[in-house]
Amino acid sequence: MLSHLIRKELRENFLNIRFIAACGVSLVLMISSIAVLTRSHEEQVRDYQDRVRQQDEFIDRYGHLNRLGWMSALTRGPSQLQALVLGVDREAHQDNFVSNPVPVLLSRLDFAAIVTIIMSLVAILFSYNAVSGEREAGLLRQILASGISRNALLAGKFAGGLVSLLIPFTVSVLAGMLFLALNSSLQLQTADFSVFALLLAASWLYVSVFHSIGIFFSTRSQTSGEAILKSLFAWVILVLVIPNAAPFLAAQFYPIPSATRLAQDRYMITDRERDAIVMQRRNAMLEGSFADLKGIVDLSPNEIQERLKSDPRIGERYRQYAKEYDQIINITNKEQGEKYGKIEEVFLQRSRVQEKLAAILTSASPLSNFVFVATDLTETGLAADDHWERVSGEYSNALSGYADVQYRKAVEKDPTFDYNDYLDLRARPRFQYRPAGLMERAAPDLLQWGVLIMFNLIFFAAAFVSFQRYDVR
Amino acid sequence: MRDIARKELLENLTTYRFSILTGLIFSMMLISIIVSYGDYHLRVENYNILRPGPKEREKVILPPEPLSIFARGLDANAGRLYQLSFRGIDVQPSQQSINRVSSLFSLPDMLFVTRVILALAALLFSFDAICGEKEQGTLKLMLAGRTRRASVVLGKLAGRYLLVIVPFAVLFILSAIVVSLLPDVHAGTEYWIRLAMILAGSALYVASFIALGTLISSVVHRSATSMMVALASWVLLVFVVPNMGATVAQAIGDVPPADRVEMKTRLAVIQSIFETQQSMKNAKQRDYSRIMKQIREANTGMFQTYRPELNRLISLTRSIARCSPAGALEFLSTELSNTGLSRDLGIKDAIWMFVERNTNRFAGLEKGEVEQFEYRAATPGEQIAGVALPDALLLLIMPAVLVALAVGSFLRYDPR
């Protein structure tokens, strides 16, 4: 009986204009969005590789300890699957004075936007009149009078509607993914195909929630007009209001200290104040144990070298002075770093809590849960940001460790060697970014998957309960 | 025509549709004001913390714009701290960007409510204006009298337009009054003039969608089909065209990303410092003016070559996005709220010129005090006659064309 009902639903839906419209809309949007974003991605990759090469060549030629952090600043390359899901749009952060401001005003259309906004709306259009439409046409009484149970009827409508909705959607997603797979510039790995499969599964769950919402409101309404209005109301709240308002409400409920003030404190503590302390300690050293070098240390490097060559005793004293001065710098750097670290820790702790609160508030909407899953799977979300921070931080430490060793070697050879002098860094470790593994990416979002399943169960069960008491006349 | 409009009004006022859609608009506007004011208040607090003292002329920060409560636009961008030095301009992150979850979503301000929800309400009010009457069989009766077809369609259009715009306008004015009474909001004459112009733009925008709904209704013969087409048009005009415009413009614009420009400038500055320091190693007197000159040349070169390309990309994006009334409304409302693209670019130009004039003073190479930074925002008149004119014209033309098409289509409509 159930299969018969499903077949009937499928047949009716396939002949309906909304099925043809859904096929056309999802196919055209999906392919065009992926094609345009793939082109954009190819250019970004080319540009990124070129920039990395130029920066590497620059360090080879002009490397020196003083500005190493500045000249080796790491920028993140585009994610392999950014043509599918843009995720956190780094352009919208406007990090540079010359950043393009348009992405702040207009977000770009990607796979995630098509699924979350357009396909969820299509799902409601496929289901809002499932029950109320049959009642209006006078068919519901006849069907139930023929001995078909209410549960079987609703299950048939649910399954038939969902299958006829997911067919055009799945075809368009597969066509988009095939486009990506055939694109030679992307060089997809096996894990990427697993990402495709997981993305498709998450999209099914998400679209299915809105299909259930449509059916639920159909069982709560006597007319189709009433059902579509109620469903659209729920859609607006779940898709447009909760996810967009929640992060800003979180910022208001749980404010964090000014980030710019923190950056200013950092500059004051680890730069200006540090320099002043170093100078003070150096002067004290010159007044005390190295008073004999007072007239020498302020000479130009070449003049110092000449003095050291002409007088070996001064040479030895100067070596001791350079060593102690180096120690002063290291100790002061450590002290000032710890001082700033305490302030930063408080800030980071509060901002983590605010972010967590925002994530909890937004998870009241299926859209946010889907967005978290999709962005994390495609390495374009917050987890990828954290991974990048960790990996790039490790590299920066490795590079500065290497540079320090090279610098010490250079100072040992020549005590007048300065941190502004050219340092040969050609054999330095090179940065090679490896994204987190698939399991590492997927595991943190198990809760989001669970919430999506729960949304499905709640609306599906609510529709069944509501239909038991539905007045079919 | 007046009778038909009155009939439409009275018939719809008591419907479930009117109460649910008006309730939706009301609740969305309430949420938007609460959330947007909270966001504005946080920006004001941050501004008060960071506001430079009279001697700190190397720091520039602009106060948040109260109208950003209605259309946030680029206000958070413009209200960041710009740290100026002989090395160039460092942009500090905005306080809101610290919460990374917010970067995945966008603030539902009043402009969002108008652009998305009001357009949806307008279509849901008008999709069955003609075909609904036909399905009920009342269209034949209506046309059997001496009523002209043009009067029928215009009357229906006017009645349904009033059903959407009157509650919205009342709520909008109430919101404007409430916001003007809130702490941190200075509501002078310009505040009211700008809001009146935004309301006028929104009214034209709603008219476009009411006319579109009526047009669809006068082309198809079933309400269900009309609703499908209306919702598809809404998705296309509100989400696809403006957002796809940004995507396509970026793909075909062929403009290098800001990261590249930043890297080139950064490396040029480091190179000039390094080379000058090396060449001055043995000099008795260290002449830093050469470094300054080279750094300034690198920064100027970057700004002067990149800026026209960026302007071209922005112009291309605007042209594509404006094909939809939603794009035109976005640009018009943000410009009128002083949170638009032209203000953002204008502030950057002003900062750039300020740095150009004061570089040597920042570096201590020239005597005299650094100037006081000043930025003068365009008046509403200047904006409407200049940068906002194309959007205002498009918002005027679009409903006129759609109304004409709806009337034309209904003249040939089969009422049987």
Side-chain angles (χ1 to χ4, degrees):
Chain A
M1 180 57 71
L2 185 64
S3 64
H4 179 73
L5 285 167
I6 294 171
R7 264 205 306 277
K8 174 192 157 282
E9 275 299 310
L10 285 174
R11 217 172 22 246
E12 277 178 9
N13 279 331
F14 287 159
L15 298 171
N16 197 306
I17 182 176
R18 64 186 173 191
F19 179 77
I20 299 156
C23 283
V25 167
S26 54
L27 202 64
V28 169
L29 282 181
M30 202 68 82
I31 299 284
S32 55
S33 149
I34 289 176
V36 173
L37 289 178
T38 304
R39 190 190 135 95
S40 183
H41 175 265
E42 283 167 6
E43 275 172 20
Q44 282 178 28
V45 170
R46 258 198 305 276
D47 184 76
Y48 174 71
Q49 287 168 345
D50 191 44
R51 273 188 285 136
V52 169
R53 186 186 51 75
Q54 281 189 29
Q55 193 161 295
D56 274 349
E57 285 173 5
F58 185 88
I59 299 171
D60 289 349
R61 200 164 162 196
Y62 298 103
H64 55 285
L65 194 68
N66 193 12
R67 295 176 193 87
L68 184 62
W70 197 18
M71 72 177 80
S72 65
L74 293 173
T75 48
R76 203 162 136 198
S79 156
Q80 177 89 326
L81 296 174
Q82 208 169 288
L84 264 184
V85 180
L86 284 163
V88 180
D89 194 348
R90 285 198 293 282
E91 279 203 69
H93 282 179
Q94 304 281 291
D95 293 331
N96 303 315
F97 185 66
V98 287
S99 291
N100 177 10
V102 170
V104 181
L105 285 187
L106 304 170
S107 51
R108 290 185 282 166
L109 196 73
D110 61 354
F111 169 83
I114 294 170
V115 172
T116 53
I117 293 174
I118 296 164
M119 289 318 296
S120 59
L121 197 61
V122 171
I124 281 179
L125 291 179
F126 263 71
S127 57
Y128 75 95
N129 62 353
V131 175
S132 51
E134 295 273 17
R135 194 200 73 84
E136 280 178 308
L139 300 172
L140 201 54
R141 270 189 300 185
Q142 291 175 17
I143 297 169
L144 292 176
S146 67
I148 296 169
S149 74
R150 288 192 179 215
N151 285 350
L153 178 67
L154 201 68
K157 289 213 162 278
F158 180 82
L162 191 60
V163 170
S164 48
L165 165 70
L166 291 181
I167 287 174
F169 171 66
T170 308
V171 168
S172 61
V173 173
L174 291 177
M177 288 172 178
L178 187 68
F179 180 90
L180 285 179
L182 295 176
N183 193 306
S184 57
S185 67
L186 284 178
Q187 295 163 347
L188 297 176
Q189 313 290 316
T190 322
D192 294 324
F193 290 96
S194 309
V195 170
F196 287 168
L198 287 169
L199 260 185
L200 190 60
S203 313
W204 281 347
L205 276 177
Y206 176 77
V207 170
S208 163
V209 171
F210 287 91
H211 184 260
S212 303
I213 287 173
I215 291 197
F216 169 67
F217 283 111
S218 190
T219 63
R220 302 289 303 167
S221 313
Q222 289 295 298
T223 64
S224 301
E226 201 184 314
I228 186 76
L229 284 171
K230 286 176 180 171
S231 305
L232 285 175
F233 193 97
W235 181 82
V236 167
I237 300 295
L238 291 175
V239 172
L240 302 178
V241 179
I242 296 174
N244 291 327
F248 295 91
L249 286 174
Q252 286 158 36
F253 293 151
Y254 194 85
I256 50 174
S258 167
T260 307
R261 173 49 65 88
L262 184 79
Q264 287 177 342
D265 286 349
R266 180 186 179 158
Y267 176 66
M268 285 306 294
I269 294 169
T270 63
D271 202 288
R272 291 262 186 97
E273 202 177 287
R274 180 206 59 181
D275 288 354
I277 294 170
V278 167
M279 195 52 73
Q280 199 185 4
R281 289 176 176 174
R282 174 182 174 269
N283 288 343
M285 188 170 77
L286 284 171
E287 291 294 333
S289 48
F290 290 97
D292 52 323
L293 294 179
K294 253 175 103 178
I296 298 169
V297 290
D298 291 329
L299 293 172
S300 77
N302 280 12
E303 285 171 329
I304 295 174
Q305 243 168 4
E306 278 170 21
R307 291 287 296 272
L308 303 188
K309 273 181 200 161
S310 62
D311 189 345
R313 196 186 58 83
I314 291 182
E316 187 49 41
R317 286 286 290 156
Y318 192 85
R319 247 181 265 279
Q320 280 174 4
Y321 160 79
K323 206 173 170 183
E324 285 197 24
Y325 182 48
D326 200 33
Q327 267 180 349
I328 285 176
I329 293 174
N330 286 338
I331 289 167
T332 315
N333 272 341
K334 198 179 164 214
E335 285 170 358
Q336 294 302 100
E338 280 169 1
K339 186 178 170 183
Y340 170 71
K342 282 179 191 158
I343 303 171
E344 193 189 31
E345 183 53 40
V346 173
F347 175 84
L348 289 176
Q349 199 185 355
R350 282 192 76 84
S351 54
R352 274 194 292 266
V353 172
Q354 192 193 76
E355 218 167 78
K356 191 95 184 151
L357 179 64
I360 291 169
L361 290 177
T362 55
S363 61
S365 152
L367 180 139
S368 323
N369 293 289
F370 175 77
V371 166
F372 289 136
V373 168
T375 52
D376 285 344
L377 280 174
T378 50
E379 267 270 306
T380 56
L382 306 183
D385 271 5
D386 292 339
H387 180 72
W388 162 261
E389 288 294 329
R390 203 170 46 249
V391 173
S392 59
E394 281 167 9
Y395 172 74
S396 296
N397 287 341
L399 180 65
S400 71
Y402 171 82
D404 275 343
V405 171
Q406 296 304 106
Y407 175 72
R408 275 172 222 291
K409 281 183 189 167
V411 171
E412 266 173 36
K413 271 191 206 160
D414 172 8
T416 62
F417 188 86
D418 186 57
Y419 53 77
N420 283 316
D421 286 336
Y422 172 72
L423 192 62
D424 188 353
L425 296 169
R426 280 174 297 181
R428 69 186 177 279
R430 303 293 166 124
F431 183 63
Q432 199 91 50
Y433 180 66
R434 282 187 212 292
L438 180 58
M439 286 307 288
E440 209 181 320
R441 277 184 266 166
D445 292 325
L446 279 177
L447 184 69
Q448 274 72 25
W449 284 89
V451 175
L452 280 175
I453 292 168
M454 195 189 70
F455 269 116
N456 270 292
L457 293 176
I458 287 173
F459 284 110
F460 185 66
F464 263 82
V465 171
S466 177
F467 190 52
Q468 299 304 319
R469 291 177 295 166
Y470 190 74
D471 184 359
V472 297
R473 290 164 296 170
Chain B
M1 188 182 114
R2 196 178 296 167
D3 290 338
I4 294 171
R6 193 181 304 132
K7 172 189 152 282
E8 286 294 315
L9 257 176
L10 295 173
E11 255 182 23
N12 280 291
L13 269 176
T14 50
T15 56
Y16 186 72
R17 170 163 60 177
F18 179 76
S19 41
I20 202 161
L21 289 178
T22 309
L24 182 66
I25 293 169
F26 172 74
S27 44
M28 284 297 295
M29 285 172 94
L30 188 69
I31 292 169
S32 96
I33 291 295
I34 293 170
V35 176
S36 301
Y37 176 71
D39 177 59
Y40 169 75
H41 184 68
L42 282 180
R43 279 184 283 130
V44 170
E45 275 182 357
N46 201 45
Y47 168 75
N48 288 333
I49 292 170
L50 299 174
R51 191 164 48 181
K55 292 280 172 198
E56 294 179 289
R57 295 194 172 169
E58 74 288 0
K59 289 177 185 170
V60 171
I61 185 167
L62 291 165
E65 172 59 56
L67 286 168
S68 65
I69 297 169
F70 293 87
R72 189 177 189 245
L74 293 156
D75 199 49
N77 206 20
R80 294 176 302 171
L81 183 79
Y82 295 91
Q83 182 82 45
L84 320 175
S85 69
F86 69 91
R87 264 170 36 177
I89 302 161
D90 278 333
V91 191
Q92 300 297 324
S94 73
Q95 183 68 4
Q96 280 73 11
S97 67
I98 304 304
N99 183 344
R100 297 172 305 159
V101 178
S102 65
S103 60
L104 288 169
F105 308 103
S106 53
L107 182 88
D109 56 8
M110 189 68 88
L111 174 59
F112 177 86
V113 176
T114 314
R115 201 168 51 87
V116 180
I117 312 295
L118 208 61
L120 177 67
L123 282 174
L124 290 176
F125 265 117
S126 56
F127 77 93
D128 60 347
I130 306 292
C131 57
E133 292 269 10
K134 181 186 165 163
E135 280 177 320
Q136 288 169 10
T138 45
L139 193 59
K140 275 190 290 187
L141 297 171
M142 202 182 273
L143 294 174
R146 278 203 270 162
T147 323
R148 288 189 306 140
R149 285 195 174 213
S151 301
V152 172
V153 76
L154 290 174
K156 282 189 164 291
L157 228 149
R160 291 180 188 230
Y161 179 60
L162 289 174
L163 278 167
V164 185
I165 202 66
V166 171
F168 171 73
V170 171
L171 291 170
F172 188 91
I173 293 165
L174 277 175
S175 309
I177 294 169
V178 170
V179 168
S180 72
L181 299 173
L182 292 171
D184 303 325
V185 177
H186 170 69
T189 320
E190 208 175 293
Y191 169 88
W192 294 106
I193 294 172
R194 286 180 183 277
L195 277 182
M197 288 161 92
I198 292 170
L199 183 60
S202 307
L204 289 171
Y205 177 71
V206 174
S208 298
F209 280 90
I210 289 280
L212 178 66
T214 313
L215 169 66
I216 295 166
S217 176
S218 65
V219 171
V220 302
H221 294 269
R222 287 181 58 227
S223 299
T225 316
S226 178
M227 193 181 67
M228 289 288 297
V229 179
L231 286 176
S233 312
W234 177 69
V235 166
L236 187 78
L237 294 175
V238 175
F239 295 106
V240 179
V241 175
N243 296 343
M244 204 61 158
T247 317
V248 171
Q250 201 145 34
I252 62 174
D254 201 24
V255 174
D259 279 348
R260 167 171 285 272
V261 182
E262 182 276 330
M263 184 201 75
K264 274 175 123 174
T265 318
R266 177 166 46 88
L267 297 186
V269 168
I270 297 172
Q271 186 181 339
S272 64
I273 297 174
F274 176 78
E275 285 178 342
T276 315
Q277 275 181 334
Q278 291 303 306
S279 67
M280 291 191 314
K281 246 183 147 180
N282 296 316
K284 295 263 182 218
Q285 284 273 310
R286 296 194 171 186
D287 177 17
Y288 288 100
S289 61
R290 207 173 113 197
I291 300 183
M292 308 301 162
K293 196 167 166 260
Q294 283 180 345
I295 291 173
R296 191 173 172 177
E297 276 168 10
N299 279 318
T300 309
M302 173 272 294
F303 197 76
Q304 285 177 348
T305 51
Y306 184 64
R307 192 51 192 279
E309 291 192 62
L310 183 63
N311 286 350
R312 189 167 51 80
L313 177 68
I314 291 171
S315 173
L316 180 64
T317 313
R318 270 186 141 144
S319 306
I320 300 173
R322 270 180 188 143
C323 293
S324 147
L329 181 77
E330 176 83 36
F331 295 133
L332 179 77
S333 299
T334 49
E335 291 300 343
L336 289 173
S337 302
N338 255 338
T339 59
L341 286 166
S342 67
R343 180 183 179 240
D344 190 72
L345 296 173
I347 290 170
K348 285 178 179 167
D349 281 342
I351 292 175
W352 177 252
M353 297 303 291
F354 176 74
V355 172
E356 282 280 282
R357 288 195 303 273
N358 292 283
T359 306
N360 288 342
R361 289 178 190 165
F362 284 134
L365 294 173
E366 192 181 300
K367 284 185 179 169
E369 267 201 9
V370 173
E371 292 170 22
Q372 182 76 45
F373 175 78
E374 275 175 17
Y375 172 73
R376 189 189 76 84
T379 63
E382 285 169 346
Q383 282 173 326
I384 213 74
V387 69
L389 185 65
D391 302 304
L393 283 176
L394 279 167
L395 283 173
L396 265 173
I397 293 166
M398 282 175 193
V401 170
L402 288 165
V403 168
L405 286 172
V407 172
S409 167
F410 187 58
L411 291 177
R412 288 176 299 164
Y413 192 74
D414 183 0
R416 289 165 298 172

